[in-house]
Amino acid sequence: LVSLGHVALVTGRWDGWFWIERTVWRSGFDGGGSFVSILVSMRPGGGSDVMPPWIVSGLTVALALGLLAWLVRSDAPVEERVLALVGFVMGVGGANYAQCKPRFLLPLLPLYVNPARWLAARWSRAMLWGAGFVVLLSTVWAAYLLTAWELSV
């Protein structure tokens, strides 16, 4: 709230944060419509270049949706379900900047409770392989973003 108040004072508008978001960043909340249009444009013959960050964003949203459904159907406390649902809606519903979806969805920690429980019931070698795969995948992706993708900086 302090940030919202500060931006309101600086801009001289009570809705200063949202005004900057809309006019300067060309963002806002569209319920995910811009993200869906980007995914649709990537289909064969859709007229758009397929960019790896958009593919990863689409896969991340699909994975987060599956984990959210698993969380909602589980015996998790209502607070965790609400936190995950609100975070998912905010992360996916933001307009434009499709490449930023993973950044908003991956920190939704309640989504990882059920997979963590599932892995805990397995033998330690499965946990080690799973963690190693995630670390390797994260390293490759971070290296790509830092070295190859022009919009990452």
Side-chain angles (χ1 to χ4, degrees):
L1 291 178
V2 172
S3 296
L4 292 176
H6 172 74
V7 173
L9 285 174
V10 169
T11 60
R13 300 173 58 113
W14 69 271
D15 65 340
W17 179 272
F18 303 106
W19 177 77
I20 288 174
E21 190 176 62
R22 206 174 37 255
T23 59
V24 177
W25 298 336
R26 287 174 267 125
S27 188
F29 188 84
D30 69 353
S34 62
F35 184 62
V36 170
S37 68
I38 285 173
L39 293 179
V40 168
S41 72
M42 288 192 320
R43 76 185 192 292
S48 176
D49 291 334
V50 176
M51 299 176 70
W54 293 350
I55 294 170
V56 170
S57 292
L59 293 174
T60 303
V61 169
L63 177 65
L65 185 60
L67 291 174
L68 181 64
W70 190 6
L71 181 70
V72 168
R73 293 176 48 105
S74 73
D75 60 349
V78 174
E79 296 85 359
E80 285 182 16
R81 295 178 200 184
V82 169
L83 172 65
L85 182 62
V86 168
F88 181 82
V89 168
M90 288 174 59
V92 173
N96 301 325
Y97 302 103
Q99 67 274 10
C100 295
K101 303 298 180 196
R103 184 181 67 178
F104 297 121
L105 295 176
L106 292 177
L108 290 176
L109 297 180
L111 295 179
Y112 305 124
V113 172
N114 288 327
R117 285 182 185 161
W118 183 83
L119 275 175
R122 305 297 177 259
W123 44 288
S124 58
R125 186 173 284 166
M127 287 190 284
L128 183 62
W129 279 104
F133 175 73
V134 168
V135 168
L136 179 65
L137 188 65
S138 299
T139 303
V140 169
W141 182 245
Y144 168 77
L145 287 179
L146 290 173
T147 60
W149 197 44
E150 69 276 357
L151 296 176
S152 65
V153 178

